[in-house]
Amino acid sequence: MNKFYDNNFYYPSSAGKGIDIYFVDQGLNAHHNDFEATGRTVTCDVITGIGGHEIMTGKERYNCTGIEDYPGHGIMVASMAGGKKYGVAKNANLHMVAIDFSGGSVIKGLDYITQHAKPNKSIVSLSVGSGGYSETEGNKLKELSQMGVILISAAGNGNMNGCEPVGSDDFNSIPGYRQCIVVGGVAPKLYGDAYYRAGVSNYGDCIDIFAPIEVTNADVSKGDRNGFTTSGGTSCSAPIVAGIAATIMSEHPEIKFDHKKMKETLIEMSIKGVVHNVGSTDTANRFVNNGKRSSYSD
């Protein structure tokens, strides 16, 4: 029997409306049709780094960079979480917290979010690492989680155990703090009825769920408001899950989602046992699903 797989993306009409997704990343250029903002907010909120917080005003709120260069990585994560064409939560509010990648800039970015995020209505998507262990950074993530903010992190791209304990030479910030929903990546091709963990994706007992690792996202590098490009890595996987979390929250305003509740919900909705070669026996075999419809065959 020939199998037919439904590759359509089904999502609620609310599509993340009223939910804030924060990104700690390079920056954002919102002058692209993917970031059309009718009925929502799509902004660069702040640049954080050596100089502290620089609040964006005027035109800077729609085009900012913390790296003195084109912020392609930041544009990608925002496009995947909430872009109008290929993004997941197409009506969510998108907030870029741009960093300059100096020491402590991630902590400063997280600190800004603690001051501005709305409990039970906010998600932080983290596709950055900050190097080695920092007690301050771990405590800041814990603070956000305790105040009702949902934290989602990329697993990393080392094809290694990304869950080594504090004190290990291979400690993996940010997943190693175990304060986030950690997302591994799967290769895009379906093999039979399952996917394969992408060869670069980290694994380990802190990985909560897998999502696609290759995406098509907004590209403003040539000034084209309709330009798109392809990207890869678990940096792409995390904002997909962040977008799914936002759509779940907007569809169920009667539920007070905190970090624990969202993690439980994503695990419950996930498709179990459909990822080959997850990397280790203690890596959870779960593929993200928004509860609308699984890929199926007739």
Side-chain angles (χ1 to χ4, degrees), residues 1-199:
M1 180 181 67
N2 292 326
K3 291 186 175 181
F4 167 75
Y5 288 92
D6 185 350
N7 292 316
N8 293 303
F9 172 47
Y10 297 90
Y11 59 93
S13 58
S14 57
K17 187 172 181 60
I19 305 302
D20 294 313
I21 306 178
Y22 288 87
F23 310 93
V24 179
D25 215 288
Q26 293 176 344
L28 177 67
N29 185 333
H31 299 303
H32 190 287
N33 290 334
D34 214 29
F35 301 122
E36 196 276 324
T38 301
R40 65 171 181 165
T41 298
V42 180
T43 54
C44 301
D45 290 7
V46 65
I47 297 177
T48 69
I50 292 176
H53 297 325
E54 180 186 354
I55 305 298
M56 297 292 97
T57 60
K59 293 181 179 180
E60 292 177 329
R61 285 179 60 78
Y62 307 101
N63 187 1
C64 71
T65 179
I67 59 172
E68 298 183 357
D69 200 353
Y70 174 69
H73 192 273
I75 290 168
M76 179 276 292
V77 295
S79 177
M80 293 323 304
K84 287 293 186 179
K85 187 165 186 179
Y86 299 113
V88 180
K90 302 176 189 298
N91 293 330
N93 301 317
L94 308 179
H95 301 271
M96 179 57 63
V97 177
I99 60 174
D100 65 5
F101 291 86
S102 61
S105 60
V106 171
I107 296 171
K108 292 172 184 174
L110 294 172
D111 184 63
Y112 173 87
I113 297 171
T114 62
Q115 299 172 37
H116 294 84
K118 301 172 185 175
N120 311 113
K121 293 292 183 181
S122 300
I123 299 165
V124 182
S125 182
L126 296 164
S127 291
V128 296
S130 61
Y133 172 75
S134 162
E135 183 178 3
T136 302
E137 186 173 69
N139 288 340
K140 188 58 64 176
L141 290 167
K142 185 176 181 179
E143 180 183 354
L144 281 162
S145 177
Q146 290 177 339
M147 64 181 276
V149 175
I150 294 155
L151 305 172
I152 298 174
S153 170
N157 303 316
N159 187 25
M160 59 183 283
N161 182 355
C163 308
E164 295 286 359
V166 172
S168 167
D169 291 340
D170 294 321
F171 178 79
N172 183 25
S173 169
I174 290 174
Y177 297 112
R178 299 175 184 266
Q179 297 293 333
C180 298
I181 297 165
V182 181
V183 187
V186 300
K189 186 176 180 180
L190 190 65
Y191 293 87
D193 293 323
Y195 294 97
Y196 272 88
R197 177 183 64 88

Side-chain angles (χ1 to χ4, degrees), residues 194-245:
Y195 294 97
Y196 272 88
R197 177 183 64 88
V200 300
S201 176
N202 287 347
Y203 50 84
D205 67 350
C206 68
I207 310 301
D208 297 297
I209 205 160
F210 284 88
I213 202 168
E214 294 184 14
V215 301
T216 301
N217 58 272
D219 178 14
V220 202
S221 61
K222 297 179 181 178
D224 184 357
R225 295 181 66 94
N226 293 297
F228 285 87
T229 189
T230 57
S231 302
T234 58
S235 285
C236 308
S237 311
I240 290 173
V241 176
I244 288 173

